[in-house]
Amino acid sequence: MDKTYYDLLIIGAGPAGMTAAVYTARKGLRTLVVSKDIGGQVNWTTLVENYMGFEKIEGPELMRRFKEQMQSDHLFFIEDEVIGLRRDGENFILTGKTTREYWGKTVIVATGKRPRMLEIPGEEEFRGKGVSYCSTCDAPLFRDASVVVVGGGNSGVQAVLNLLAINAREVYLITDFQLTADQVLIDRIKDEDKVKLYPDHLVTEILGETMVTGVKIKSRETGEEQKISVEGIFIQIGLEPNSEFINELKKNERGEIVIDCHCRTNVPGVFAAGDVTHIPEKQIIVASGEGAKAALKAWEYLVNSRLASDEQKK
C-alpha cells in the first residue's frame, strides 16, 4: 500500500478543524484534513449574527469563506468519514469509511457535535426553512412570530427565553414528560403570557409547503392529536458528540473528549478542539479559537519531539 505521511492529521472540517488547518499550514506543517463535509453544524444555521467581522452572515456562507481560506501548498483535504484511529509506532493511522488509511505524526480531533433529531416527517425537509437546532443563532429570525420549542431541559427553556427576548409573538413549549430544566429557568417563564406549556406531549409531524406552517402534536396520556400553526420550530433535545469512532481517548459521561487547557487528550500527540470536547461553550467563535490553540500546541509537540529525537542521535 502506498503510504503518504503527514505531520498532522485533522479530523473534521467545521470551525475548529478549518481554523486549525490554517494555523498549521502557516507553520509549514504538512497537514491533511479528513472530513465527510465542510462546515458541520454551522451549515444548519440560517443566520449568524455573533461572529466577529460579520454583522450578519448565513452559516453556509461563513463556512464557504472558511474553506476559501484553507489554501496552502502544505494543506490537503480529503472527503471521507473517519471510522477509526490507532497508533503504529511513532505514527497515527486514521481509517476512513472508504477503507483508505491516512498516516500522520500528530492528530487533532475536531469532529464537533450533531443535534439529536426528532426523526419525524417534515424535519429533514424543512431544516433551515423554519426548523432550527440553535436558538442562540436563529431566534432573531422569529421576531413577532409564533414558534414551537421542543425540549423541557435547560436548552429548551433557554430557547424560550431567547425567543421572548426578541419579542416572539407566542412560544409553545412542548416536552414529552415534565419540565426538567433548572428551577431558576422555569420560574422565569412560568408566568409569561406568551408561553404555552404542553407537558406530556409529542411532536409527531412538521407541516409546511416551502416553509414551516405548523406542527402536529399528540398527548401521551390521551392520544389526542391537534395542530398548532407556527412559523418555526426549535428542536432542543440535546447534542451528540461525534466521538464514538475513538475508544482510546478519555471521555466524560456525555461522550465528549476530555482535554486540558492546551487541548491535549490523554494520548500524547492527539489533541482535540471544538464542540466534540468538554469545553462548556458551544459557539462558532469558541470552536475557532480552540482550533487555533490546538494547532499551535500540536506544532509545539512536533518541534519538541524533533528536538528530543535529535538529542538522542548525538
Side-chain angles (χ1 to χ4, degrees), residues 6-10 92 104-108 269-271 298 301-302:
Y6 297 89
D7 294 312
L8 175 66
L9 302 170
I10 298 175
F92 294 96
K105 298 174 184 176
T106 53
V107 177
I108 294 176
V270 179
F271 302 80
Y301 175 87
L302 285 168

Side-chain angles (χ1 to χ4, degrees), residues 100-258:
R100 292 185 62 180
E101 291 187 338
Y102 312 98
W103 298 64
K105 298 174 184 176
T106 53
V107 177
I108 294 176
V109 182
T111 45
K113 283 190 170 183
R114 60 188 183 274
R116 187 173 289 117
M117 303 178 70
L118 290 173
E119 297 182 353
I120 59 174
E123 181 176 10
E124 184 76 23
E125 180 182 354
F126 295 109
R127 185 191 303 164
K129 300 175 182 179
V131 173
S132 174
Y133 300 86
C134 179
S135 65
T136 303
C137 314
D138 293 341
L141 301 175
F142 295 90
R143 187 171 286 110
D144 297 322
S146 294
V147 187
V148 159
V149 174
V150 184
N154 284 350
S155 60
V157 176
Q158 186 60 58
V160 173
L161 291 170
N162 290 344
L163 288 160
L164 292 174
I166 56 88
N167 201 30
R169 185 165 62 249
E170 53 192 352
V171 183
Y172 299 89
L173 178 55
I174 300 171
T175 176
D176 53 355
F177 295 103
Q178 300 297 312
L179 295 180
T180 58
D182 294 343
Q183 190 61 45
V184 65
L185 293 176
I186 295 174
D187 290 343
R188 291 173 63 186
I189 68 167
K190 66 180 183 181
D191 295 324
E192 287 282 350
D193 293 337
K194 289 184 177 182
V195 178
K196 316 297 182 185
L197 295 177
Y198 283 83
D200 294 309
H201 278 73
L202 302 171
V203 178
T204 58
E205 185 176 356
I206 299 171
L207 308 171
E209 295 180 3
T210 58
M211 301 289 288
V212 169
T213 60
V215 297
K216 286 184 181 179
I217 66 172
K218 179 179 179 179
S219 168
R220 286 172 53 89
E221 183 178 350
T222 67
E224 179 184 356
E225 292 187 317
Q226 60 179 300
K227 293 181 182 179
I228 301 176
S229 295
V230 294
E231 296 155 72
I233 173 171
F234 284 84
I235 299 171
Q236 306 283 177
I237 56 175
L239 296 170
E240 298 175 319
N242 298 311
S243 63
E244 60 273 8
F245 67 97
I246 301 179
N247 296 320
E248 295 79 3
L249 302 184
K250 182 180 178 181
K251 304 172 190 175
N252 64 13
E253 68 280 359
R254 294 183 296 276
E256 298 167 327
I257 298 171
V258 176

